Structure formats: structure tokens, C-alpha cells
PDB file of all heavy atoms in Angstrom:
ATOM      1  N   ALA A   1     -23.641  -5.777  11.106  1.00 97.00           N
ATOM      2  CA  ALA A   1     -23.182  -6.985  10.414  1.00 97.00           C
ATOM      3  C   ALA A   1     -22.275  -6.622   9.247  1.00 97.00           C
ATOM      4  O   ALA A   1     -21.258  -7.286   8.994  1.00 97.00           O
ATOM      5  CB  ALA A   1     -24.376  -7.806   9.941  1.00 97.00           C
ATOM      6  N   ARG A   2     -22.629  -5.563   8.512  1.00 96.00           N
ATOM      7  CA  ARG A   2     -21.789  -5.120   7.401  1.00 96.00           C
ATOM      8  C   ARG A   2     -20.467  -4.536   7.904  1.00 96.00           C
ATOM      9  O   ARG A   2     -19.392  -4.790   7.347  1.00 96.00           O
ATOM     10  CB  ARG A   2     -22.532  -4.078   6.574  1.00 96.00           C
ATOM     11  CG  ARG A   2     -23.760  -4.622   5.837  1.00 96.00           C
ATOM     12  CD  ARG A   2     -24.366  -3.575   4.924  1.00 96.00           C
ATOM     13  NE  ARG A   2     -25.559  -4.097   4.256  1.00 96.00           N
ATOM     14  CZ  ARG A   2     -26.792  -3.953   4.736  1.00 96.00           C
ATOM     15  NH1 ARG A   2     -26.978  -3.299   5.863  1.00 96.00           N
ATOM     16  NH2 ARG A   2     -27.819  -4.470   4.084  1.00 96.00           N
ATOM     17  N   GLU A   3     -20.545  -3.754   8.965  1.00 96.00           N
ATOM     18  CA  GLU A   3     -19.349  -3.073   9.477  1.00 96.00           C
ATOM     19  C   GLU A   3     -18.303  -4.048   9.996  1.00 96.00           C
ATOM     20  O   GLU A   3     -17.103  -3.852   9.791  1.00 96.00           O
ATOM     21  CB  GLU A   3     -19.749  -2.097  10.599  1.00 96.00           C
ATOM     22  CG  GLU A   3     -20.544  -0.895  10.114  1.00 96.00           C
ATOM     23  CD  GLU A   3     -21.082  -0.045  11.249  1.00 96.00           C
ATOM     24  OE1 GLU A   3     -21.018  -0.484  12.418  1.00 96.00           O
ATOM     25  OE2 GLU A   3     -21.576   1.058  10.967  1.00 96.00           O
ATOM     26  N   VAL A   4     -18.751  -5.110  10.673  1.00 96.00           N
ATOM     27  CA  VAL A   4     -17.790  -6.044  11.267  1.00 96.00           C
ATOM     28  C   VAL A   4     -17.482  -7.220  10.365  1.00 96.00           C
ATOM     29  O   VAL A   4     -16.617  -8.045  10.674  1.00 96.00           O
ATOM     30  CB  VAL A   4     -18.294  -6.563  12.632  1.00 96.00           C
ATOM     31  CG1 VAL A   4     -18.598  -5.411  13.571  1.00 96.00           C
ATOM     32  CG2 VAL A   4     -19.531  -7.461  12.476  1.00 96.00           C
ATOM     33  N   GLY A   5     -18.207  -7.349   9.234  1.00 96.00           N
ATOM     34  CA  GLY A   5     -17.995  -8.483   8.351  1.00 96.00           C
ATOM     35  C   GLY A   5     -18.456  -9.789   8.958  1.00 96.00           C
ATOM     36  O   GLY A   5     -17.767 -10.816   8.879  1.00 96.00           O
ATOM     37  N   ALA A   6     -19.645  -9.777   9.560  1.00 96.00           N
ATOM     38  CA  ALA A   6     -20.171 -10.973  10.228  1.00 96.00           C
ATOM     39  C   ALA A   6     -20.430 -12.100   9.233  1.00 96.00           C
ATOM     40  O   ALA A   6     -20.901 -11.866   8.118  1.00 96.00           O
ATOM     41  CB  ALA A   6     -21.454 -10.639  10.978  1.00 96.00           C
ATOM     42  N   ASP A   7     -20.120 -13.311   9.633  1.00 96.00           N
ATOM     43  CA  ASP A   7     -20.421 -14.495   8.836  1.00 96.00           C
ATOM     44  C   ASP A   7     -21.846 -14.975   9.070  1.00 96.00           C
ATOM     45  O   ASP A   7     -22.464 -15.582   8.193  1.00 96.00           O
ATOM     46  CB  ASP A   7     -19.449 -15.629   9.174  1.00 96.00           C
ATOM     47  CG  ASP A   7     -18.018 -15.268   8.834  1.00 96.00           C
ATOM     48  OD1 ASP A   7     -17.747 -14.975   7.660  1.00 96.00           O
ATOM     49  OD2 ASP A   7     -17.173 -15.273   9.754  1.00 96.00           O
ATOM     50  N   VAL A   8     -22.352 -14.730  10.275  1.00 96.00           N
ATOM     51  CA  VAL A   8     -23.703 -15.168  10.617  1.00 96.00           C
ATOM     52  C   VAL A   8     -24.219 -14.310  11.761  1.00 96.00           C
ATOM     53  O   VAL A   8     -23.458 -13.870  12.626  1.00 96.00           O
ATOM     54  CB  VAL A   8     -23.728 -16.669  11.006  1.00 96.00           C
ATOM     55  CG1 VAL A   8     -22.875 -16.939  12.229  1.00 96.00           C
ATOM     56  CG2 VAL A   8     -25.159 -17.163  11.237  1.00 96.00           C
ATOM     57  N   ILE A   9     -25.524 -14.056  11.757  1.00 96.00           N
ATOM     58  CA  ILE A   9     -26.214 -13.412  12.873  1.00 96.00           C
ATOM     59  C   ILE A   9     -27.040 -14.483  13.562  1.00 96.00           C
ATOM     60  O   ILE A   9     -27.804 -15.195  12.906  1.00 96.00           O
ATOM     61  CB  ILE A   9     -27.134 -12.277  12.398  1.00 96.00           C
ATOM     62  CG1 ILE A   9     -26.333 -11.203  11.658  1.00 96.00           C
ATOM     63  CG2 ILE A   9     -27.890 -11.659  13.576  1.00 96.00           C
ATOM     64  CD1 ILE A   9     -27.204 -10.178  10.951  1.00 96.00           C
ATOM     65  N   ILE A  10     -26.892 -14.611  14.870  1.00 95.00           N
ATOM     66  CA  ILE A  10     -27.653 -15.609  15.621  1.00 95.00           C
ATOM     67  C   ILE A  10     -28.500 -14.881  16.654  1.00 95.00           C
ATOM     68  O   ILE A  10     -27.977 -14.130  17.481  1.00 95.00           O
ATOM     69  CB  ILE A  10     -26.722 -16.636  16.291  1.00 95.00           C
ATOM     70  CG1 ILE A  10     -25.936 -17.415  15.223  1.00 95.00           C
ATOM     71  CG2 ILE A  10     -27.532 -17.605  17.162  1.00 95.00           C
ATOM     72  CD1 ILE A  10     -24.981 -18.438  15.781  1.00 95.00           C
ATOM     73  N   MET A  11     -29.812 -15.117  16.610  1.00 91.00           N
ATOM     74  CA  MET A  11     -30.721 -14.390  17.496  1.00 91.00           C
ATOM     75  C   MET A  11     -31.972 -15.216  17.756  1.00 91.00           C
ATOM     76  O   MET A  11     -32.250 -16.187  17.047  1.00 91.00           O
ATOM     77  CB  MET A  11     -31.105 -13.039  16.878  1.00 91.00           C
ATOM     78  CG  MET A  11     -31.792 -13.148  15.525  1.00 91.00           C
ATOM     79  SD  MET A  11     -31.916 -11.569  14.626  1.00 91.00           S
ATOM     80  CE  MET A  11     -32.876 -10.585  15.768  1.00 91.00           C
ATOM     81  N   THR A  12     -32.720 -14.831  18.765  1.00 86.00           N
ATOM     82  CA  THR A  12     -34.019 -15.445  19.020  1.00 86.00           C
ATOM     83  C   THR A  12     -35.063 -14.788  18.127  1.00 86.00           C
ATOM     84  O   THR A  12     -34.858 -13.691  17.607  1.00 86.00           O
ATOM     85  CB  THR A  12     -34.421 -15.293  20.491  1.00 86.00           C
ATOM     86  OG1 THR A  12     -34.287 -13.910  20.868  1.00 86.00           O
ATOM     87  CG2 THR A  12     -33.535 -16.134  21.387  1.00 86.00           C
ATOM     88  N   LYS A  13     -36.195 -15.468  17.970  1.00 82.00           N
ATOM     89  CA  LYS A  13     -37.219 -14.930  17.070  1.00 82.00           C
ATOM     90  C   LYS A  13     -37.818 -13.636  17.589  1.00 82.00           C
ATOM     91  O   LYS A  13     -38.277 -12.792  16.829  1.00 82.00           O
ATOM     92  CB  LYS A  13     -38.321 -15.964  16.834  1.00 82.00           C
ATOM     93  CG  LYS A  13     -39.063 -16.407  18.092  1.00 82.00           C
ATOM     94  CD  LYS A  13     -40.025 -17.538  17.771  1.00 82.00           C
ATOM     95  CE  LYS A  13     -40.724 -18.034  19.027  1.00 82.00           C
ATOM     96  NZ  LYS A  13     -41.616 -19.170  18.738  1.00 82.00           N
ATOM     97  N   SER A  14     -37.790 -13.465  18.905  1.00 70.00           N
ATOM     98  CA  SER A  14     -38.216 -12.206  19.513  1.00 70.00           C
ATOM     99  C   SER A  14     -37.747 -12.218  20.958  1.00 70.00           C
ATOM    100  O   SER A  14     -37.767 -13.253  21.619  1.00 70.00           O
ATOM    101  CB  SER A  14     -39.737 -12.045  19.470  1.00 70.00           C
ATOM    102  OG  SER A  14     -40.130 -10.896  20.195  1.00 70.00           O
ATOM    103  N   SER A  15     -37.308 -11.065  21.439  1.00 57.00           N
ATOM    104  CA  SER A  15     -36.942 -10.978  22.852  1.00 57.00           C
ATOM    105  C   SER A  15     -38.127 -10.559  23.703  1.00 57.00           C
ATOM    106  O   SER A  15     -38.060 -10.570  24.922  1.00 57.00           O
ATOM    107  CB  SER A  15     -35.804  -9.961  23.034  1.00 57.00           C
ATOM    108  OG  SER A  15     -36.254  -8.661  22.688  1.00 57.00           O
ATOM    109  N   LYS A  16     -39.231 -10.188  23.067  1.00 55.00           N
ATOM    110  CA  LYS A  16     -40.388  -9.661  23.793  1.00 55.00           C
ATOM    111  C   LYS A  16     -41.257 -10.800  24.310  1.00 55.00           C
ATOM    112  O   LYS A  16     -41.538 -11.760  23.609  1.00 55.00           O
ATOM    113  CB  LYS A  16     -41.211  -8.730  22.898  1.00 55.00           C
ATOM    114  CG  LYS A  16     -40.415  -7.508  22.433  1.00 55.00           C
ATOM    115  CD  LYS A  16     -41.295  -6.563  21.661  1.00 55.00           C
ATOM    116  CE  LYS A  16     -40.480  -5.379  21.127  1.00 55.00           C
ATOM    117  NZ  LYS A  16     -39.846  -4.622  22.202  1.00 55.00           N
ATOM    118  N   ASP A  17     -41.711 -10.638  25.561  1.00 51.00           N
ATOM    119  CA  ASP A  17     -42.461 -11.698  26.217  1.00 51.00           C
ATOM    120  C   ASP A  17     -43.860 -11.877  25.641  1.00 51.00           C
ATOM    121  O   ASP A  17     -44.485 -12.909  25.841  1.00 51.00           O
ATOM    122  CB  ASP A  17     -42.574 -11.398  27.714  1.00 51.00           C
ATOM    123  CG  ASP A  17     -41.211 -11.353  28.375  1.00 51.00           C
ATOM    124  OD1 ASP A  17     -40.334 -12.151  27.999  1.00 51.00           O
ATOM    125  OD2 ASP A  17     -41.014 -10.500  29.262  1.00 51.00           O
ATOM    126  N   ASP A  18     -44.384 -10.861  24.931  1.00 47.00           N
ATOM    127  CA  ASP A  18     -45.719 -11.012  24.371  1.00 47.00           C
ATOM    128  C   ASP A  18     -45.697 -11.535  22.943  1.00 47.00           C
ATOM    129  O   ASP A  18     -46.708 -11.570  22.256  1.00 47.00           O
ATOM    130  CB  ASP A  18     -46.488  -9.686  24.430  1.00 47.00           C
ATOM    131  CG  ASP A  18     -45.761  -8.565  23.697  1.00 47.00           C
ATOM    132  OD1 ASP A  18     -44.605  -8.773  23.289  1.00 47.00           O
ATOM    133  OD2 ASP A  18     -46.365  -7.481  23.553  1.00 47.00           O
ATOM    134  N   MET A  19     -44.513 -11.949  22.472  1.00 48.00           N
ATOM    135  CA  MET A  19     -44.397 -12.557  21.143  1.00 48.00           C
ATOM    136  C   MET A  19     -44.061 -14.030  21.324  1.00 48.00           C
ATOM    137  O   MET A  19     -42.949 -14.486  21.046  1.00 48.00           O
ATOM    138  CB  MET A  19     -43.314 -11.852  20.331  1.00 48.00           C
ATOM    139  CG  MET A  19     -43.609 -10.397  20.020  1.00 48.00           C
ATOM    140  SD  MET A  19     -44.930 -10.197  18.820  1.00 48.00           S
ATOM    141  CE  MET A  19     -44.112 -10.776  17.343  1.00 48.00           C
ATOM    142  N   LEU A  20     -45.032 -14.791  21.823  1.00 52.00           N
ATOM    143  CA  LEU A  20     -44.749 -16.152  22.235  1.00 52.00           C
ATOM    144  C   LEU A  20     -44.583 -17.113  21.063  1.00 52.00           C
ATOM    145  O   LEU A  20     -43.806 -18.055  21.118  1.00 52.00           O
ATOM    146  CB  LEU A  20     -45.878 -16.650  23.149  1.00 52.00           C
ATOM    147  CG  LEU A  20     -45.982 -15.914  24.489  1.00 52.00           C
ATOM    148  CD1 LEU A  20     -47.220 -16.381  25.230  1.00 52.00           C
ATOM    149  CD2 LEU A  20     -44.746 -16.127  25.326  1.00 52.00           C
ATOM    150  N   ASN A  21     -45.328 -16.887  19.998  1.00 54.00           N
ATOM    151  CA  ASN A  21     -45.307 -17.839  18.885  1.00 54.00           C
ATOM    152  C   ASN A  21     -44.845 -17.246  17.563  1.00 54.00           C
ATOM    153  O   ASN A  21     -44.739 -17.966  16.574  1.00 54.00           O
ATOM    154  CB  ASN A  21     -46.714 -18.434  18.679  1.00 54.00           C
ATOM    155  CG  ASN A  21     -47.023 -19.490  19.710  1.00 54.00           C
ATOM    156  OD1 ASN A  21     -46.198 -20.333  20.005  1.00 54.00           O
ATOM    157  ND2 ASN A  21     -48.200 -19.424  20.281  1.00 54.00           N
ATOM    158  N   ASN A  22     -44.612 -15.949  17.518  1.00 63.00           N
ATOM    159  CA  ASN A  22     -44.356 -15.288  16.247  1.00 63.00           C
ATOM    160  C   ASN A  22     -42.935 -14.750  16.159  1.00 63.00           C
ATOM    161  O   ASN A  22     -42.298 -14.450  17.168  1.00 63.00           O
ATOM    162  CB  ASN A  22     -45.341 -14.124  16.070  1.00 63.00           C
ATOM    163  CG  ASN A  22     -46.776 -14.576  16.138  1.00 63.00           C
ATOM    164  OD1 ASN A  22     -47.145 -15.546  15.505  1.00 63.00           O
ATOM    165  ND2 ASN A  22     -47.582 -13.860  16.911  1.00 63.00           N
ATOM    166  N   ILE A  23     -42.451 -14.610  14.940  1.00 72.00           N
ATOM    167  CA  ILE A  23     -41.196 -13.913  14.707  1.00 72.00           C
ATOM    168  C   ILE A  23     -41.468 -12.422  14.814  1.00 72.00           C
ATOM    169  O   ILE A  23     -42.369 -11.887  14.163  1.00 72.00           O
ATOM    170  CB  ILE A  23     -40.614 -14.267  13.326  1.00 72.00           C
ATOM    171  CG1 ILE A  23     -40.144 -15.729  13.316  1.00 72.00           C
ATOM    172  CG2 ILE A  23     -39.463 -13.347  12.955  1.00 72.00           C
ATOM    173  CD1 ILE A  23     -39.524 -16.170  12.023  1.00 72.00           C
ATOM    174  N   GLY A  24     -40.699 -11.731  15.619  1.00 78.00           N
ATOM    175  CA  GLY A  24     -40.894 -10.308  15.830  1.00 78.00           C
ATOM    176  C   GLY A  24     -40.452  -9.484  14.633  1.00 78.00           C
ATOM    177  O   GLY A  24     -39.788  -9.970  13.712  1.00 78.00           O
ATOM    178  N   SER A  25     -40.803  -8.199  14.663  1.00 86.00           N
ATOM    179  CA  SER A  25     -40.493  -7.314  13.539  1.00 86.00           C
ATOM    180  C   SER A  25     -38.989  -7.143  13.350  1.00 86.00           C
ATOM    181  O   SER A  25     -38.514  -7.021  12.210  1.00 86.00           O
ATOM    182  CB  SER A  25     -41.154  -5.951  13.755  1.00 86.00           C
ATOM    183  OG  SER A  25     -40.724  -5.362  14.974  1.00 86.00           O
ATOM    184  N   THR A  26     -38.227  -7.152  14.453  1.00 88.00           N
ATOM    185  CA  THR A  26     -36.776  -6.999  14.327  1.00 88.00           C
ATOM    186  C   THR A  26     -36.163  -8.206  13.629  1.00 88.00           C
ATOM    187  O   THR A  26     -35.370  -8.065  12.691  1.00 88.00           O
ATOM    188  CB  THR A  26     -36.125  -6.804  15.707  1.00 88.00           C
ATOM    189  OG1 THR A  26     -36.604  -5.588  16.295  1.00 88.00           O
ATOM    190  CG2 THR A  26     -34.607  -6.734  15.579  1.00 88.00           C
ATOM    191  N   ALA A  27     -36.528  -9.403  14.077  1.00 89.00           N
ATOM    192  CA  ALA A  27     -35.992 -10.614  13.449  1.00 89.00           C
ATOM    193  C   ALA A  27     -36.398 -10.688  11.983  1.00 89.00           C
ATOM    194  O   ALA A  27     -35.597 -11.071  11.120  1.00 89.00           O
ATOM    195  CB  ALA A  27     -36.465 -11.851  14.204  1.00 89.00           C
ATOM    196  N   GLU A  28     -37.638 -10.307  11.684  1.00 91.00           N
ATOM    197  CA  GLU A  28     -38.100 -10.340  10.293  1.00 91.00           C
ATOM    198  C   GLU A  28     -37.284  -9.379   9.429  1.00 91.00           C
ATOM    199  O   GLU A  28     -36.881  -9.717   8.303  1.00 91.00           O
ATOM    200  CB  GLU A  28     -39.581  -9.981  10.229  1.00 91.00           C
ATOM    201  CG  GLU A  28     -40.167 -10.068   8.837  1.00 91.00           C
ATOM    202  CD  GLU A  28     -41.664  -9.781   8.818  1.00 91.00           C
ATOM    203  OE1 GLU A  28     -42.212  -9.420   9.880  1.00 91.00           O
ATOM    204  OE2 GLU A  28     -42.273  -9.896   7.742  1.00 91.00           O
ATOM    205  N   TYR A  29     -37.020  -8.187   9.957  1.00 93.00           N
ATOM    206  CA  TYR A  29     -36.226  -7.210   9.199  1.00 93.00           C
ATOM    207  C   TYR A  29     -34.821  -7.742   8.960  1.00 93.00           C
ATOM    208  O   TYR A  29     -34.281  -7.633   7.849  1.00 93.00           O
ATOM    209  CB  TYR A  29     -36.165  -5.883   9.956  1.00 93.00           C
ATOM    210  CG  TYR A  29     -35.400  -4.812   9.211  1.00 93.00           C
ATOM    211  CD1 TYR A  29     -36.056  -3.909   8.378  1.00 93.00           C
ATOM    212  CD2 TYR A  29     -34.010  -4.712   9.321  1.00 93.00           C
ATOM    213  CE1 TYR A  29     -35.355  -2.935   7.681  1.00 93.00           C
ATOM    214  CE2 TYR A  29     -33.299  -3.752   8.617  1.00 93.00           C
ATOM    215  CZ  TYR A  29     -33.975  -2.859   7.807  1.00 93.00           C
ATOM    216  OH  TYR A  29     -33.273  -1.908   7.106  1.00 93.00           O
ATOM    217  N   VAL A  30     -34.213  -8.318  10.001  1.00 95.00           N
ATOM    218  CA  VAL A  30     -32.847  -8.829   9.879  1.00 95.00           C
ATOM    219  C   VAL A  30     -32.784  -9.949   8.848  1.00 95.00           C
ATOM    220  O   VAL A  30     -31.882  -9.991   8.006  1.00 95.00           O
ATOM    221  CB  VAL A  30     -32.323  -9.307  11.248  1.00 95.00           C
ATOM    222  CG1 VAL A  30     -30.983 -10.029  11.100  1.00 95.00           C
ATOM    223  CG2 VAL A  30     -32.173  -8.124  12.201  1.00 95.00           C
ATOM    224  N   ILE A  31     -33.746 -10.858   8.885  1.00 94.00           N
ATOM    225  CA  ILE A  31     -33.771 -11.964   7.926  1.00 94.00           C
ATOM    226  C   ILE A  31     -33.824 -11.443   6.486  1.00 94.00           C
ATOM    227  O   ILE A  31     -33.142 -11.947   5.595  1.00 94.00           O
ATOM    228  CB  ILE A  31     -34.973 -12.894   8.206  1.00 94.00           C
ATOM    229  CG1 ILE A  31     -34.761 -13.650   9.523  1.00 94.00           C
ATOM    230  CG2 ILE A  31     -35.184 -13.882   7.064  1.00 94.00           C
ATOM    231  CD1 ILE A  31     -35.989 -14.396  10.009  1.00 94.00           C
ATOM    232  N   ASN A  32     -34.617 -10.395   6.272  1.00 94.00           N
ATOM    233  CA  ASN A  32     -34.819  -9.877   4.915  1.00 94.00           C
ATOM    234  C   ASN A  32     -33.708  -8.950   4.435  1.00 94.00           C
ATOM    235  O   ASN A  32     -33.588  -8.722   3.220  1.00 94.00           O
ATOM    236  CB  ASN A  32     -36.164  -9.145   4.834  1.00 94.00           C
ATOM    237  CG  ASN A  32     -37.349 -10.078   4.965  1.00 94.00           C
ATOM    238  OD1 ASN A  32     -37.291 -11.227   4.550  1.00 94.00           O
ATOM    239  ND2 ASN A  32     -38.429  -9.589   5.546  1.00 94.00           N
ATOM    240  N   ASN A  33     -32.899  -8.409   5.355  1.00 96.00           N
ATOM    241  CA  ASN A  33     -31.937  -7.386   4.961  1.00 96.00           C
ATOM    242  C   ASN A  33     -30.492  -7.669   5.355  1.00 96.00           C
ATOM    243  O   ASN A  33     -29.605  -6.883   5.010  1.00 96.00           O
ATOM    244  CB  ASN A  33     -32.353  -6.036   5.563  1.00 96.00           C
ATOM    245  CG  ASN A  33     -33.675  -5.528   5.023  1.00 96.00           C
ATOM    246  OD1 ASN A  33     -33.736  -4.920   3.967  1.00 96.00           O
ATOM    247  ND2 ASN A  33     -34.746  -5.782   5.763  1.00 96.00           N
ATOM    248  N   ALA A  34     -30.243  -8.757   6.048  1.00 95.00           N
ATOM    249  CA  ALA A  34     -28.882  -9.033   6.509  1.00 95.00           C
ATOM    250  C   ALA A  34     -27.954  -9.359   5.337  1.00 95.00           C
ATOM    251  O   ALA A  34     -28.375 -10.011   4.373  1.00 95.00           O
ATOM    252  CB  ALA A  34     -28.886 -10.186   7.494  1.00 95.00           C
ATOM    253  N   PRO A  35     -26.677  -8.956   5.428  1.00 96.00           N
ATOM    254  CA  PRO A  35     -25.707  -9.271   4.380  1.00 96.00           C
ATOM    255  C   PRO A  35     -25.068 -10.641   4.554  1.00 96.00           C
ATOM    256  O   PRO A  35     -24.138 -10.991   3.830  1.00 96.00           O
ATOM    257  CB  PRO A  35     -24.661  -8.169   4.563  1.00 96.00           C
ATOM    258  CG  PRO A  35     -24.679  -7.908   6.036  1.00 96.00           C
ATOM    259  CD  PRO A  35     -26.113  -8.068   6.466  1.00 96.00           C
ATOM    260  N   CYS A  36     -25.563 -11.415   5.516  1.00 96.00           N
ATOM    261  CA  CYS A  36     -24.978 -12.729   5.810  1.00 96.00           C
ATOM    262  C   CYS A  36     -26.092 -13.679   6.226  1.00 96.00           C
ATOM    263  O   CYS A  36     -27.271 -13.307   6.273  1.00 96.00           O
ATOM    264  CB  CYS A  36     -23.930 -12.605   6.927  1.00 96.00           C
ATOM    265  SG  CYS A  36     -24.600 -11.929   8.466  1.00 96.00           S
ATOM    266  N   ASP A  37     -25.729 -14.920   6.554  1.00 95.00           N
ATOM    267  CA  ASP A  37     -26.712 -15.886   7.042  1.00 95.00           C
ATOM    268  C   ASP A  37     -27.293 -15.433   8.382  1.00 95.00           C
ATOM    269  O   ASP A  37     -26.619 -14.764   9.179  1.00 95.00           O
ATOM    270  CB  ASP A  37     -26.067 -17.262   7.215  1.00 95.00           C
ATOM    271  CG  ASP A  37     -25.673 -17.893   5.899  1.00 95.00           C
ATOM    272  OD1 ASP A  37     -26.250 -17.500   4.870  1.00 95.00           O
ATOM    273  OD2 ASP A  37     -24.791 -18.774   5.906  1.00 95.00           O
ATOM    274  N   VAL A  38     -28.530 -15.813   8.620  1.00 95.00           N
ATOM    275  CA  VAL A  38     -29.200 -15.511   9.890  1.00 95.00           C
ATOM    276  C   VAL A  38     -29.734 -16.811  10.471  1.00 95.00           C
ATOM    277  O   VAL A  38     -30.432 -17.565   9.786  1.00 95.00           O
ATOM    278  CB  VAL A  38     -30.355 -14.517   9.705  1.00 95.00           C
ATOM    279  CG1 VAL A  38     -31.040 -14.235  11.047  1.00 95.00           C
ATOM    280  CG2 VAL A  38     -29.860 -13.219   9.078  1.00 95.00           C
ATOM    281  N   THR A  39     -29.408 -17.089  11.716  1.00 93.00           N
ATOM    282  CA  THR A  39     -29.914 -18.267  12.410  1.00 93.00           C
ATOM    283  C   THR A  39     -30.854 -17.834  13.521  1.00 93.00           C
ATOM    284  O   THR A  39     -30.466 -17.058  14.403  1.00 93.00           O
ATOM    285  CB  THR A  39     -28.763 -19.098  13.006  1.00 93.00           C
ATOM    286  OG1 THR A  39     -27.908 -19.560  11.959  1.00 93.00           O
ATOM    287  CG2 THR A  39     -29.304 -20.304  13.781  1.00 93.00           C
ATOM    288  N   ILE A  40     -32.094 -18.312  13.471  1.00 89.00           N
ATOM    289  CA  ILE A  40     -33.071 -18.063  14.528  1.00 89.00           C
ATOM    290  C   ILE A  40     -33.122 -19.323  15.378  1.00 89.00           C
ATOM    291  O   ILE A  40     -33.489 -20.388  14.894  1.00 89.00           O
ATOM    292  CB  ILE A  40     -34.461 -17.757  13.950  1.00 89.00           C
ATOM    293  CG1 ILE A  40     -34.393 -16.577  12.979  1.00 89.00           C
ATOM    294  CG2 ILE A  40     -35.442 -17.474  15.080  1.00 89.00           C
ATOM    295  CD1 ILE A  40     -33.967 -15.286  13.600  1.00 89.00           C
ATOM    296  N   ILE A  41     -32.745 -19.219  16.629  1.00 84.00           N
ATOM    297  CA  ILE A  41     -32.631 -20.422  17.448  1.00 84.00           C
ATOM    298  C   ILE A  41     -33.994 -20.845  17.977  1.00 84.00           C
ATOM    299  O   ILE A  41     -34.887 -20.025  18.185  1.00 84.00           O
ATOM    300  CB  ILE A  41     -31.645 -20.248  18.612  1.00 84.00           C
ATOM    301  CG1 ILE A  41     -32.171 -19.244  19.642  1.00 84.00           C
ATOM    302  CG2 ILE A  41     -30.281 -19.820  18.105  1.00 84.00           C
ATOM    303  CD1 ILE A  41     -31.437 -19.307  20.950  1.00 84.00           C
ATOM    304  N   SER A  42     -34.137 -22.137  18.188  1.00 69.00           N
ATOM    305  CA  SER A  42     -35.354 -22.694  18.752  1.00 69.00           C
ATOM    306  C   SER A  42     -35.361 -22.499  20.248  1.00 69.00           C
ATOM    307  O   SER A  42     -34.355 -22.688  20.924  1.00 69.00           O
ATOM    308  CB  SER A  42     -35.450 -24.193  18.427  1.00 69.00           C
ATOM    309  OG  SER A  42     -36.527 -24.781  19.113  1.00 69.00           O
ATOM    310  N   GLU A  43     -36.526 -22.110  20.775  1.00 60.00           N
ATOM    311  CA  GLU A  43     -36.663 -21.928  22.220  1.00 60.00           C
ATOM    312  C   GLU A  43     -37.580 -22.979  22.827  1.00 60.00           C
ATOM    313  O   GLU A  43     -37.946 -22.892  23.990  1.00 60.00           O
ATOM    314  CB  GLU A  43     -37.227 -20.543  22.514  1.00 60.00           C
ATOM    315  CG  GLU A  43     -36.388 -19.416  21.949  1.00 60.00           C
ATOM    316  CD  GLU A  43     -37.119 -18.097  22.050  1.00 60.00           C
ATOM    317  OE1 GLU A  43     -37.348 -17.656  23.187  1.00 60.00           O
ATOM    318  OE2 GLU A  43     -37.456 -17.519  21.020  1.00 60.00           O
TER     319      GLU A  43
END
């Protein structure tokens, strides 16, 4: 995100099938450390 100068990161809360209701560790890290807005889409 820093390298390309992203305006926003858009991702699902988790790509893993066993994370049905929770935000995964990757999404949580991105939310806390991204240099831009982060959108977690509803599934």
C-alpha cells in the first residue's frame, strides 16, 4: 500500500473458511497498520 500509494485497501474480513464470523489476523493487522483507508466488505 505504501509502495503504490494506495488510496484504499478493500478486502474481506478473512479468506479462510474456518473464520466464519470473525475478522482474521491479516485483516486486523492491515486495519491497524495501513497507511490509507481500509474497507472490509460485507459477505
Side-chain angles (χ1 to χ4, degrees):
R2 293 186 182 92
E3 291 172 349
V4 304
D7 297 301
V8 62
I9 300 170
I10 297 179
M11 59 193 300
T12 51
K13 60 186 177 182
S14 173
S15 65
K16 298 185 183 300
D17 298 323
D18 58 352
M19 296 289 289
L20 294 174
N21 283 316
N22 302 313
I23 291 182
S25 58
T26 297
E28 183 177 5
Y29 182 93
V30 172
I31 291 170
N32 292 328
N33 295 277
C36 59
D37 292 338
V38 179
T39 298
I40 304 297
I41 68 165
S42 172
E43 302 170 66

